[in-house]
Amino acid sequence: MTTDRPLEPVASDRRSQAWFAAPGRNGFLHRSWLRNQGHTDEAFDGRPVIGIVNTWSELAPCNGHLRQLAEVVKRGVLMAGGYPFEVPAMSLGETLVRPTAMLYRNLLAMVAEETIRSNPLDGVVLLSGCDKTTPGLLMGAASVDLPAIMVTGGPMLNGKFQGRDIGSGTAVWQLGEELRAGRITEADFAEAEVCMSRSPGHCMTMGTASTMACLVEGLGMTLPGAAAIPAPDSRRVATAQRAGQRIVAMVEEDLRPSRILTREAFDNAIRLNAALSGSTNAVVHLLALAGRVGVPLDLRDFQALTDDVPVLADLVPSGRFLMEDFFYAGGVPQVLAELGDLVHTGHVTVTGRTVADDIAGTRCWNRAVIATRDAPVQPAGSGTRVLWGSLCPE
């Protein structure tokens, strides 16, 4: 017995309707199996079906809170008139995976690509956090080229230890040396272990996780200002809801990664990385992503594009501050605004607007954290240097 209304044929050219509106046995099977979870006719009536591709795992500490964010994304999708389905993807936690999660980035990209391609989805929201989950998901989604938007999990709050800020990763080495030198005790060292990681989120230093989150914003694949919001901040939750709402509109607009991930977008990301003094791992990931979307990009481009880019963000490990401070100072939109004519501002982002629209009206709230081009943290050409030699000629 069911209280559902009879399913009516839907005239729709949505990709999901190839499954759900199929005549006869095929449509029956696709709908019937999903009904065992209590899905009603609204799941199949032609509204945009949105996949939430989630790299949540309790063994990937950076991504351990993504289950909660997924629920918020669902709320946004439903509010905008779509229908969400959460699907898992391989989770790569660099903190625990041995010898390195980099061995599995391409495997994650394949898992994401085939999961998206083989299921009745019209658009996807990508939930990432730790180092390799962000490029892996983006590479997979770009290969399928359905409307896609990324939500990163956000950095942890600043570590607080004995009256000073400490940053994940970097502080491990510093404190380890202080212990060896006798400047702190074993008890201090144990206390710092807890103080460094005091909230959900990924590394709050400008390591690979924060770098890739920022570069996804620079590429235009996440909402403006989203990259630096701390994981526990309510604005991180609000951004996840907005992403759920926005992906429904992107399906209606047929706004796909191939329209966003242009050469101009990659130029912006490369220059942004230099201005942030971001992780050198960005070079590896951007080259791989460019290959997925057919954008010509070469290692030499990274030097040519950054020779005139000064370092504007004073962030650990090359500087003094952490991601929480960066967010309060203005985040990625402010750095892009400071770069001015060094970045392309005319290409479209996931908002459906241009970069110029997205960064209009930004302000810097802390010049110690985000400097100006006239008085940078480090001079032009300091953020990225490509070295050539006999051991690794390319």
Side-chain angles (χ1 to χ4, degrees):
M1 181 177 178
T2 179
T3 57
D4 254 352
R5 69 186 190 282
L7 188 68
E8 299 176 358
V10 176
S12 172
D13 59 357
R14 294 200 199 288
R15 184 175 181 272
S16 58
Q17 291 303 286
W19 280 261
F20 297 141
R25 181 178 59 197
N26 285 343
F28 177 99
L29 284 170
H30 297 140
R31 297 187 300 268
S32 179
W33 280 115
L34 280 176
R35 290 187 189 276
N36 79 345
Q37 299 176 74
H39 293 291
T40 59
D41 283 352
E42 288 79 5
F44 318 117
D45 67 0
R47 67 190 66 199
V49 175
I50 305 300
I52 302 171
V53 185
N54 195 349
T55 55
W56 167 84
S57 169
E58 291 183 340
L59 285 175
C62 302
N63 298 21
H65 61 303
L66 294 186
R67 282 289 298 110
Q68 290 78 18
L69 279 187
E71 292 301 319
V72 180
V73 174
K74 290 178 188 178
R75 182 173 76 198
V77 171
L78 291 167
M79 288 174 68
Y83 203 86
F85 289 92
E86 183 183 352
V87 294
M90 185 180 189
S91 192
L92 303 176
E94 190 64 73
T95 53
L96 297 180
V97 171
R98 292 181 178 178
T100 169
M102 187 61 192
L103 291 175
Y104 309 106
R105 184 206 64 186
N106 287 1
L107 181 56
L108 169 58
M110 292 168 64
V111 168
E113 176 180 349
E114 298 309 323
T115 296
I116 296 167
R117 192 188 305 280
S118 61
N119 280 291
L121 302 174
D122 301 307
V124 290
V125 179
L126 310 169
L127 294 188
S128 72
C130 199
D131 298 12
K132 311 308 180 294
T133 58
T134 298
L137 287 183
L138 197 55
M139 289 163 62
S143 291
V144 184
D145 202 29
L146 290 180
I149 189 170
M150 178 158 274
V151 176
T152 52
M156 291 184 283
L157 297 174
N158 289 0
K160 299 287 184 178
F161 173 63
Q162 296 182 348
R164 57 175 163 143
D165 284 358
I166 57 172
S168 49
T170 304
V172 175
W173 307 109
Q174 293 172 342
L175 292 167
E177 293 307 304
E178 288 183 25
L179 179 65
R180 290 179 60 203
R183 298 194 191 103
I184 62 174
T185 66
E186 289 283 358
D188 292 330
F189 197 55
E191 179 189 358
E193 184 178 314
V194 179
C195 294
M196 189 180 75
S197 304
R198 65 188 185 96
S199 80
H202 58 66
C203 293
M204 80 297 272
T205 54
M206 188 51 76
T208 305
S210 292
T211 295
M212 293 311 300
C214 290
L215 297 196
V216 168
E217 187 173 335
L219 287 165
M221 286 298 296
T222 193
L223 293 175
I229 304 172
D233 195 303
S234 63
R235 287 165 285 190
R236 170 66 54 189
V237 179
T239 295
Q241 177 186 304
R242 292 297 186 196
Q245 294 171 272
R246 179 60 194 148
I247 190 60
V248 176
M250 290 175 68
V251 171
E252 301 286 359
E253 299 161 10
D254 197 28
L255 180 54
R256 300 168 182 256
S258 55
R259 286 184 54 198
I260 300 170
L261 295 174
T262 62
R263 177 56 195 254
E264 289 77 15
F266 282 94
D267 286 356
N268 283 359
I270 292 168
R271 287 182 165 134
L272 175 62
N273 188 58
L276 297 173
S277 195
S279 171
T280 53
N281 288 330
V283 176
V284 179
H285 298 315
L286 288 175
L287 286 171
L289 179 61
R292 288 291 181 116
V293 296
V295 169
L297 195 64
D298 183 83
L299 183 58
R300 291 167 179 80
D301 294 326
F302 284 80
Q303 198 62 70
L305 287 166
T306 58
D307 278 338
D308 55 353
V309 177
V311 175
L312 300 180
D314 194 356
L315 300 173
V316 178
S318 65
R320 298 174 292 167
F321 297 98
L322 297 169
M323 289 298 292
E324 187 178 348
D325 309 304
F326 181 54
F327 172 61
Y328 300 147
V332 169
Q334 183 57 35
V335 174
L336 291 174
E338 294 291 347
L339 286 172
D341 60 0
L342 292 178
V343 296
H344 305 285
T345 58
H347 72 87
V348 72
T349 75
V350 291
T351 64
R353 306 187 303 261
T354 65
V355 173
D357 296 328
D358 288 348
I359 66 175
T362 62
R363 291 181 64 184
C364 180
W365 302 104
N366 190 338
R367 280 297 175 198
V369 179
I370 301 176
T372 64
R373 281 175 65 184
D374 293 334
V377 177
Q378 296 179 36
S382 302
T384 301
R385 300 304 301 173
V386 179
L387 306 182
W388 308 90
S390 59
L391 290 180
C392 300
E394 293 300 320

